[in-house]
Each structure stands twice: as C-alpha cells, then as structure tokens.
C-alpha cells in the first residue's frame, strides 16, 4: 500500500495555478477496510486546511465507500504550500487521537514533497500498526469555477459529489435581465439541477434481483434427482462445429478507425454498404463524422491454418474512433440468415466460473440486452436458491468437495433452479440464464441431461487471471452479498470467502465439452480473448458479438433530447426544423454543462442524429469529436410527418385509434414503429457498450426512450410512455456495480413534449 499523487493541468490554464486567478482544488482520500469501531480519519495542519495543529480542531473526512474516506478543499492563490497530517479520532469524542507516524506531508503547487508513503497509525503500545493507502489529487480550478469552488470551501469544505472536482451550475437570469446563455451569465453548481428519476436506480446485490424460486415453495414436492451423476463424456454433445478465438485487443484495433482518414468533404458522406462517398445536403454548415449504419463488412479474417478468428481494431485513439461494431452485428445477422434458419428451440446460457469472476454481472447484463431485443429472458441464480433453502450462514466448509452433505445440498438447489427454468421455458420462455459456478464436469453433465430434448445448452465460462480485479470483486462480494450480511467482522468474512474460493479451485474443471463461449481476461476492457466452440444460430451469434464488445470500465453516458424545435412549439411531429429561441438557449447551457461535467474527459465524444435540430444543439459544444448516426434519427412518422396529433385524429381516425391501442407495435403508414426503432438501435447499444470513454447522445424522444429502456432494464411495453422531457440530461453511470441514473434539468420547457 502507498500513496498515489496526481495533478491535472489543463492546457488552457497555463503553468502556475495562480495565473489568471486560478486556484488549486485538492482531494485527499484514505482507504482501509480494517478501520473499526468509532474511529474516523481526520486531517489537520496549516492554513488553509484548518490553520491549527490542535487535534481537537481537525477536519473529519467523509465516508465515500465502505473502505474509503475523502476530504476536498480549495487553496486560495496566496498560499504557497499545504502542511498537514492524518489522524484517527473517535466519532463521539475528542480523545484519544492517533496521529500518523512520520513527518508532516507538504503539498507545494499541487505536488507532494518527498517520497509518497502510506499513512501508518500505531494503535496500541504492543506496536500494532494500521496501514492506510492514501490518494492525493490536485486539479487546477479556472476563474469560471471560482464562485462554486469558493462556495464549496465555505460550506464546510463539502464540494459537489457529481464528479471528482467542484461542479458549477447554470442558474436562471436575475429578474428583469435577458438571459442569453453565455458563460458570463451562468453560475455553476450541477447538483442544483438534479431532479428525481422516474424510477430509482438499483445498486443492490445483483443476485437478489434474479428470479424468485418457485420449486422451493411447492408443497409436497421434495427434490428427487431423476438424473444419474456420471463422469462419462459420451453423454455430452459432440464437438463437430467450428471453433475460433477472438483476440479482443486485435478486435479493438481493427474497429477503431482514424476519423481524419475517413471524414469526407462537407457535402459528401460515406456509404458503409458500398464503401463509396455520396452527396448529402449540407445542414446549416455543420461538420462532423457521418455514420450510415448500413450492413458493413465485419472484417473477420479466418486463419488459414487453425480454428482462429481474429479481428483487428486501436486503443490509443479512443476519441478518434468511428463506430464499427454495428457492421459486425449486421453482417453476422445477414450471414446467419443466409446459412441457417432461425432457431425455434429454447436456449439455456449456463454460466461457469470460479467465484468473484463476474458471472452474475455478466448474466445480468446479457439478460438486460436480450430482453431489450424482445427475447423473453430470465436470470436464475442458484445462490439465491441456496440461501432461501439452507440459510445465509454457510461457512467455507459447506463448499468443500469432500463434504458429502454440502455437495448434496448444492446439487439439490442447482437441480431445483434448473427445473424452474425448464418449467418457465415450457410455458413460453425463450432464453434462460443459469447463474452458478458449475465448476465441475459432473455438475454440467447433470444440467445437460436435465435439458436434453427441452432446450439448447451453451456454457458461458468467465475466466479472470488479474489478481487486482479478483481482489476488487471479493471486496464487493463481502460488502454486498447476503452470505456475509450477518458477519460484522470484515476480515473474518474475507478469510471465509477466500477459503471458499480455495475449495472451488481444488476441483475446478474448465469447460471442454459441448457448445461453449469462454471470456478470458475480458473484465478490464483492455484486451483478453473470447473463445467460441460449436456455436451456431441467429441468437447465439448475436450473444457472441455482444460479449465481444462488453466490459466493466466505469464511464458516464449522457442522454438528452435536442433543444426545443419550431415543430415542438407548433405541436407537429417529425420534420427537420431548426431550434426555437428556447432551444438555442438550451444548446448554450448544454455546452456549458458538458464543459464542466466532462472537463477531465479528453476522450469523450458527442453523438447526434443526422437531423439538424440535434446537430444545431451540439454546435456550441467544443473540444470533443462529433459523430452523426442515421440510426439516432427520430422515429419515421411516414405519411404523418409534419402533422399534429389533432390533425391525425381528424383526417386519419383509424390510424389514430390503432396507435392509441398499441403504441409499441403501431407502425406509421410508410413509417416505423417503436419496435422498428429498437431494432435499428441495436448497433448503437453495441457501440455504447464498447466505448471506454464518456459519450453524450443528443437525439430524439422516441429514440431516447428506447435507449433509456435498455439501460434501465424497463419492459418493452413501457417504452412508448417513458418520460424523456426536453432540456433535461439523463446521466447513466456504467460500471462494476451496475447502472446508476441521475437527471439534470437545466431549464423549463414551454411545450409539453
């Protein structure tokens, strides 16, 4: 453990943080799982931290995570250095205090003097030492940030928590003043604009959100296995299909294309289906990369010497990438339709892997994707069955292979979960995700025999060799899993889980039988391999391409509608009109928001549709590449384009009533339905999953409803009614703990839609 020191220096700020009135924002963080009882980390030291070396006046650090504490403040320009130390104080008392060992810490100009070191606290006279990792970060705060930064400093040194540095707000103009949206009229504090989301974001333990067991509650139906356990390989599906490996780093390099080589003249666009340029009407002089997501070449090259399929795409220029995952998905779908009929069989995706390898996260993500595409999908977690039947206080001994009672109990709940899944499929379910370790061939043989003649089984094995990621997953497991909810001692829980992991490792057998997909070291999003064996069919092919592009890298995705358009004011649908005055004002406020929210995200990108109201909304945003997607265009209203709903009701009453009865499936004459929109948005979803940097999507109401439904895991029937108001930003935070949502309303809208 040690100290991490960083300093962000935007090029526009120059060298010294005092130049131009700029200040220095400092963030101090301390991490340790062993801080117990009522001890709370504090900081004390020279001005401007506290101006006193009296421990009783030390500033308390705030708990950011279960093991992380944080304190942030702004340094005025007339202070050369920060001289401080960490100490531990009781939460409800002034003494006794434990001051960190070693000399004072000195931060000069945002840089730490001397060697970086951990914080060491001597807790007892017996020389018991607590070591804490320390993170020190310094960011330059420009004059534009000054008001919010100083306000945060005054209000108990508690800046906004929207991101790592103090955020700025966009307030309405004073009474009697004309608001023009310029930076000089905007005060910054993003949290001031947060509004409640329509449905609370869920960050609870993913396994708890899986299907509720039904077999456990059937009276008079004790479990009895009709499937003999056998180590014979004869019962397994023969491996006579093709096998191949996708190297993820090569795949990314192949699909990341330098925009400077592809951007055509302003009046030309590239047609991805034929590889040529064609004319396009110039929209108000706007420039940007245009992406026509037609059926493109997936650039898959089959090795002549082996069963290896590789694709080559560049991690180094994320900000200069052009979406390519869509072409691979579309081409795979077309090829699959040409070479094989669409399967009617039910599909069971059976997870395989050691604990803390991301199985449940992968299962939840795949479930959300397939549901969004319209496939009836459910996630069955065997751990949930085990906890309901045998309780949550099972020790590591329960998971030993030489514990016959434990083995029988675990096989029992696995069979119960499988029976529930097969019964659900019999009643019409399409894809079942069976989430468990399934770490031995004996267990997998049992499941395959139970599924024989009822559904197709594909094993999905997750393999991770990165000790850092495994350790992180273990910590999350201890913090979130119901298995350790009643264990007050974190260290005891950690020891028990690691013992459980060792028990699984002793008997673990990698998948080599049947149809399978192996995800090897893909969790970090920085490379890895995807191995595929004996996979065929339309839906399995889609699953493979989804898994190739998914990863756990935390990043925000910002969704917003275009600024109010003239058609919005007139109540007309469709069209391609310019922005109203209110819409132009929103475009300036949005640019200000993006500048602040993504200040430190140099690789972010802006995505718009090809309609001018989204392009004009994005035009004030500077410093980020802009990409136009035809797939992000508003729902095609066909012959109703440009009409009001009252005009449709009057002139086309049958169409009006049909739409009213089923907005999800209703297709405008010569236009689209919501289901059509979802299908054309699949390449956008794949590309959003593939991105490792923030993305701002400026699009339209129907399109954003469909995109939001994917991230929020909303049922398809709810898509047409999802609330996506004008002049509001929906921030989707994607990461290892799932998907979180936050909404910002920058200004009111004068129209209801």
């Amino acid at each position: 453990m040690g100290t991490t020191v960083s300093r962000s220096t935007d090029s526009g700020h120059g060298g010294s943080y005092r130049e131009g009135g700029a200040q220095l924002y400092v963030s101090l963080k301390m991490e340790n799982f062993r801080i117990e009882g009522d001890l709370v980390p504090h900081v004390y030291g020279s001005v401007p931290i506290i101006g006193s070396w009296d421990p009783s006046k030390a500033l308390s650090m705030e708990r950011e995570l279960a093991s992380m504490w944080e304190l942030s403040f702004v340094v005025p320009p007339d202070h050369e250095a920060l001289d401080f130390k960490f100490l531990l104080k009781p939460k409800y008392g002034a003494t006794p205090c434990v001051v960190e060992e070693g000399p004072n810490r000195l931060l000069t100009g945002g840089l730490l003097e001397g060697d970086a070191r951990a914080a060491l606290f001597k807790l007892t006279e017996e020389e018991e030492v607590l070591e804490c990792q320390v993170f020190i970060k310094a960011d330059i705060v420009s004059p534009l940030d000054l008001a919010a930064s100083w306000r945060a400093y005054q209000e108990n040194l508690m800046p906004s928590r929207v991101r790592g540095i103090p955020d700025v707000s966009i307030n309405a103009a004073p009474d009697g003043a004309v608001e023009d949206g310029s930076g000089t009229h905007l005060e910054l504090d993003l949290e001031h604009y947060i509004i409640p989301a329509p449905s609370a974001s869920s960050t609870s333990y993913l396994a708890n959100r899986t299907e509720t067991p039904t077999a456990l509650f059937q009276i008079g139906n004790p479990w009895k296995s009709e499937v003999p356990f056998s180590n014979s390989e004869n019962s397994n599906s023969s491996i006579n299909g093709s096998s191949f490996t996708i190297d993820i780093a090569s795949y990314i390099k192949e699909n990341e294309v330098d925009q400077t080589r592809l951007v055509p003249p302003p009046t030309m666009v590239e047609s991805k289906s034929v590889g040529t340029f064609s004319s396009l009407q110039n929209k108000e002089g706007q420039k940007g990369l245009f992406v026509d997501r037609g059926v493109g070449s997936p650039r898959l090259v089959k090795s002549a010497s082996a069963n290896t399929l590789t694709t080559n795409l560049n991690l180094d220029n994320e900000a200069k990438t052009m979406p390519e995952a869509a072409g691979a998905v579309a081409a795979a779908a077309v090829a699959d339709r040409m070479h094989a009929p669409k399967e009617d069989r039910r599909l069971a995706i059976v997870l395989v892997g050691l604990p803390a390898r991301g199985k449940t996260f992968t299962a939840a993500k795949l479930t959300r994707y397939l549901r969004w595409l319209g496939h009836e999908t459910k996630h069955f977690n065997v751990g949930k069955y085990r906890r309901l039947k045998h309780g949550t206080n099972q020790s590591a001994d329960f998971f030993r292979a030489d514990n016959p009672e434990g083995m029988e109990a675990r096989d029992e709940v696995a069979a119960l979960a499988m029976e529930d899944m097969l019964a659900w499929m019999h009643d019409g379910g399409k894809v079942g995700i069976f989430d468990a370790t399934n770490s031995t061939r004996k267990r997998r043989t049992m499941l395959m025999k139970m599924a024989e003649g009822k559904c197709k089984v594909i094993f999905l094995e997750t393999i991770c060799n990165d000790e850092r990621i495994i350790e992180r997953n273990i910590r999350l497991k201890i913090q979130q899993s119901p298995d350790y909810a009643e264990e007050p001692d974190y260290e005891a829980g950690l020891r028990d889980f690691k013992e459980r992991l060792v028990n699984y490792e002793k008997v673990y057998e990698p998948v080599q039988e049947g149809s399978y997909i192996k995800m090897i070291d893909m969790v970090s999003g920085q490379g890895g391999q995807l191995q595929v064996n004996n996979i065929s069919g339309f839906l399995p092919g889609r699953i493979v391409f989804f898994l190739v592009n998914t990863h756990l890298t935390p990043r925000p995705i910002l969704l917003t509608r275009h600024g109010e358009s003239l058609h919005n004011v007139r109540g007309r649908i469709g069209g391609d009109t310019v922005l109203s005055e209110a819409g132009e004002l929103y475009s300036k406020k949005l640019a200000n928001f993006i500048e602040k929210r993504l200040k430190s995200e140099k690789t972010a990108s802006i995505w718009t549709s090809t309609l001018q109201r989204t392009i004009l909304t994005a035009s004030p945003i500077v410093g980020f590449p802009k990409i136009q997607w035809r797939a992000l265009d508003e729902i095609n209203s066909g012959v109703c384009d440009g009409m009001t709903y009252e005009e449709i009701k009057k002139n086309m009453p049958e169409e009006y009533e049909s739409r009213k009865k089923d907005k999800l499936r209703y297709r405008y004459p010569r236009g689209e339905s919501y289901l059509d929109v979802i299908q054309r948005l699949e390449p956008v979803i794949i590309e959003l999953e593939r991105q490792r940097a923030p993305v701002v999507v400026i699009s339209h109401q129907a399109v954003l409803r469909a995109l939001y439904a994917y991230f929020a895991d909303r049922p398809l029937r709810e898509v047409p009614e999802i609330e996506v108001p004008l002049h509001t930003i929906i921030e989707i935070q994607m990461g290892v703990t799932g998907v979180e949502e936050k909404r910002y309303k920058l200004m009111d809208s004068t129209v209801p839609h």
Side-chain angles (χ1 to χ4, degrees):
M1 306 182 80
T3 303
T4 301
V5 183
S6 63
R7 182 183 178 186
S8 300
T9 55
D10 292 342
S11 58
H13 291 140
S16 171
Y17 71 86
R18 294 188 298 277
E19 293 178 6
Q23 297 191 1
L24 193 68
Y25 170 83
V26 180
S27 172
L28 307 177
K29 294 187 178 183
M30 178 183 293
E31 181 182 33
N32 191 287
F33 283 92
R34 293 182 53 212
I35 299 179
E36 302 173 351
D38 63 349
L39 289 179
V40 177
H42 284 63
V43 178
Y44 73 149
S46 64
V47 175
I49 298 180
I50 187 60
S52 173
W53 289 96
D54 183 353
S56 65
K57 297 181 180 180
L59 291 174
S60 172
M61 302 180 74
E62 294 295 324
R63 185 184 291 272
E64 190 176 61
L65 298 171
S67 61
M68 183 78 74
W69 285 262
E70 188 256 0
L71 176 66
S72 304
F73 50 87
V74 175
V75 181
D78 56 345
H79 289 280
E80 287 288 344
L82 299 176
D83 193 11
F84 66 95
K85 294 189 77 169
F86 295 99
L87 68 155
L88 300 178
K89 286 180 58 178
K91 186 175 182 179
Y92 302 106
T95 56
C97 297
V98 183
V99 181
E100 70 165 310
E101 300 293 313
N104 296 345
R105 297 176 185 266
L106 188 64
L107 194 69
T108 304
L111 298 176
L112 189 68
E113 297 289 334
D115 296 331
R117 70 179 196 272
L120 302 177
F121 300 94
K122 188 179 296 185
L123 300 180
T124 64
E125 296 181 358
E126 288 74 23
E127 304 297 325
E128 180 186 357
V129 176
L130 176 68
E131 181 178 351
C132 300
Q133 189 169 6
V134 173
F135 304 89
I136 301 176
K137 182 179 180 182
D139 283 293
I140 292 174
V141 182
S142 70
L144 188 61
D145 299 322
L146 182 58
S149 300
W150 188 251
R151 189 174 88 181
Y153 173 70
Q154 288 180 320
E155 294 179 359
N156 299 320
L157 312 183
M158 289 288 291
S160 162
R161 293 179 179 273
V162 177
R163 58 189 174 91
I165 67 173
D167 296 304
V168 237
S169 68
I170 308 174
N171 286 336
D175 294 339
V178 178
E179 186 176 14
D180 64 2
S182 65
T184 57
H185 289 80
L186 300 179
E187 183 194 352
L188 296 181
D189 181 7
L190 299 186
E191 290 204 343
H192 176 74
Y193 289 92
I194 294 179
I195 59 176
S199 59
S201 301
S202 179
T203 57
S204 61
Y205 190 54
L206 288 176
N208 287 343
R209 304 205 296 270
T210 58
E211 292 308 308
T212 300
T214 57
L216 293 180
F217 304 106
Q218 295 176 359
I219 300 176
N221 184 29
W223 175 78
K224 180 180 179 181
S225 176
E226 300 293 338
V227 182
F229 291 90
S230 171
N231 290 321
S232 171
E233 298 183 24
N234 298 330
S235 61
N236 297 329
S237 302
S238 60
I239 306 177
N240 50 22
S242 62
S243 302
F244 60 85
T245 300
I246 299 177
D247 183 81
I248 302 303
S250 300
Y251 175 78
I252 294 171
K253 289 182 180 179
E254 174 71 16
N255 285 276
E256 288 187 357
V257 185
D258 191 340
Q259 292 178 10
T260 59
R261 296 187 290 106
L262 294 179
V263 176
T267 57
M268 306 290 288
V269 298
E270 182 193 12
S271 171
K272 296 300 291 182
S273 57
V274 295
T276 60
F277 292 103
S278 58
S279 299
L280 173 70
Q281 181 179 358
N282 192 309
K283 297 180 182 294
E284 301 294 329
Q286 298 297 321
K287 297 181 180 180
L289 179 61
F290 174 82
V291 181
D292 185 350
R293 292 264 61 82
V295 178
S297 168
R299 303 188 182 187
L300 302 180
V301 183
K302 187 70 176 289
S303 170
S305 60
N307 296 323
T308 301
L309 185 107
T310 61
T311 58
N312 292 309
L313 190 113
N314 184 1
L315 279 173
D316 299 329
N317 297 317
E318 188 69 36
K320 296 183 179 180
T321 60
M322 173 177 172
E324 287 292 328
V329 172
V334 170
D336 195 81
R337 288 181 177 129
M338 292 174 60
H339 297 295
K342 187 173 180 179
E343 292 185 316
D344 292 327
R345 294 178 61 189
R346 308 305 179 193
L347 184 62
I349 305 296
V350 177
L351 274 292
V352 177
L354 292 168
R357 262 58 174 185
K359 295 186 301 301
T360 298
F361 181 87
T362 302
K365 208 166 189 178
L366 185 57
T367 300
R368 175 161 51 90
Y369 170 69
L370 294 175
R371 282 176 178 167
W372 183 78
L373 287 178
H375 302 287
E376 189 69 25
T377 306
K378 283 192 176 183
H379 179 185
F380 296 82
N381 181 269
V382 176
K384 187 174 183 178
Y385 281 71
R386 169 180 55 78
R387 285 185 285 271
L388 287 174
K389 186 171 181 62
H390 300 288
T392 60
N393 57 346
Q394 304 299 328
S395 68
D397 289 340
F398 181 80
F399 301 91
R400 283 168 41 197
D402 57 356
N403 179 355
E405 293 80 8
M407 288 289 295
E408 182 179 358
R410 288 189 286 135
D411 286 335
E412 175 187 3
V413 292
L416 287 172
M418 192 67 175
E419 287 175 356
D420 273 359
M421 188 173 76
L422 294 174
W424 168 76
M425 288 181 173
H426 180 75
D427 293 336
K430 177 67 176 177
V431 184
I433 312 291
F434 190 83
D435 181 12
T437 55
N438 301 314
S439 53
T440 64
R441 179 168 294 186
K442 181 179 179 181
R443 163 71 70 81
R444 297 192 293 268
T445 299
M446 179 192 83
L447 298 176
M448 292 182 70
K449 281 192 168 293
M450 293 182 70
E452 191 172 359
K454 301 175 183 178
C455 65
K456 176 181 176 64
V457 173
I458 295 178
F459 294 114
L460 175 56
E461 185 175 13
T462 60
I463 300 172
C464 178
N465 299 305
D466 190 325
E467 292 297 330
R468 179 182 56 85
I469 293 176
I470 295 172
E471 185 67 24
R472 180 196 65 187
N473 290 347
I474 290 175
R475 290 183 177 185
L476 287 174
K477 195 88 171 178
I478 303 303
Q479 293 171 352
Q480 298 181 357
S481 173
D483 285 346
Y484 297 97
E486 299 179 5
E487 175 55 74
D489 187 344
Y490 172 86
E491 293 296 333
L494 183 62
R495 287 192 300 271
D496 180 83
F497 186 83
K498 289 187 174 182
E499 289 178 16
R500 180 194 302 190
L501 186 55
V502 169
N503 290 334
Y504 275 107
E505 289 173 340
K506 289 178 180 178
V507 296
Y508 186 76
E509 298 174 290
V511 175
Q512 294 179 332
E513 68 273 17
S515 301
Y516 62 77
I517 304 168
K518 287 177 182 270
M519 300 176 65
I520 305 174
D521 291 328
M522 291 179 59
V523 178
S524 66
Q526 301 299 319
Q529 286 188 338
L530 189 82
Q531 295 182 0
V532 179
N533 180 74
N534 197 26
I535 298 294
S536 63
F538 175 70
L539 187 55
R542 274 184 149 170
I543 291 173
V544 169
F545 274 105
F546 175 76
L547 295 174
V548 166
N549 290 282
T550 190
H551 58 89
L552 302 183
T553 306
R555 75 277 190 199
I557 295 174
L558 306 179
L559 308 177
T560 183
R561 290 173 65 183
H562 55 79
E564 180 187 86
S565 70
L566 294 182
H567 262 22
N568 289 139
V569 176
R570 299 162 184 160
R572 299 189 178 278
I573 63 176
D576 193 15
T577 60
V578 297
L579 301 179
S580 67
E581 289 186 7
E584 292 177 354
L585 175 61
Y586 176 70
S587 70
K588 296 173 184 177
K589 288 194 169 189
L590 176 63
N592 200 319
F593 179 96
I594 297 302
E595 178 188 359
K596 295 299 147 189
R597 178 63 184 88
L598 302 181
K599 179 180 180 181
S600 60
E601 302 288 353
K602 304 304 181 185
T603 58
S605 57
I606 313 298
W607 296 3
T608 72
S609 72
T610 65
L611 301 177
Q612 64 177 337
R613 55 189 182 272
T614 65
I615 298 173
L616 291 172
T617 301
S619 61
I621 302 174
V622 295
F624 302 104
K626 298 173 185 176
I627 301 175
Q628 299 172 26
W629 284 69
R630 191 182 299 280
L632 290 175
D633 285 0
E634 178 61 296
I635 186 171
N636 185 349
S637 51
V639 299
C640 299
D641 190 72
M643 300 175 66
T644 66
Y645 288 117
E646 285 300 319
E647 290 172 345
I648 297 175
K649 183 178 182 180
K650 179 180 178 180
N651 300 318
M652 309 171 68
E654 292 183 358
E655 294 296 331
Y656 181 85
E657 289 300 322
S658 296
R659 177 180 178 274
K660 186 177 179 180
K661 290 178 181 177
D662 190 352
K663 288 179 67 177
L664 177 66
R665 294 172 179 81
Y666 171 78
R667 179 179 287 117
Y668 286 101
R670 301 182 184 178
E672 290 181 302
S673 68
Y674 269 95
L675 289 180
D676 295 329
V677 171
I678 289 172
Q679 290 301 312
R680 69 166 153 98
L681 282 175
E682 183 188 8
V684 178
I685 289 297
I686 294 292
E687 188 60 26
L688 286 173
E689 288 286 357
R690 191 179 72 85
Q691 291 293 310
R692 288 160 177 79
V695 177
V696 180
V697 180
I698 304 175
S699 189
H700 310 268
Q701 181 169 245
V703 171
L704 293 180
R705 281 171 169 168
L707 291 178
Y708 176 83
Y710 168 76
F711 291 113
D713 198 15
R714 297 280 287 273
L716 289 182
R717 64 179 181 276
E718 297 180 6
V719 171
E721 307 300 333
I722 291 175
E723 182 182 0
V724 185
L726 284 168
H727 305 159
T728 300
I729 300 167
I730 303 174
E731 178 177 328
I732 304 294
Q733 187 70 42
M734 300 177 64
V736 67
T737 57
V739 176
E740 300 178 16
E741 175 190 351
K742 187 179 290 185
R743 292 196 176 203
Y744 304 88
K745 185 176 182 181
L746 299 192
M747 56 184 284
D748 292 325
S749 174
T750 59
V751 296
H753 57 275

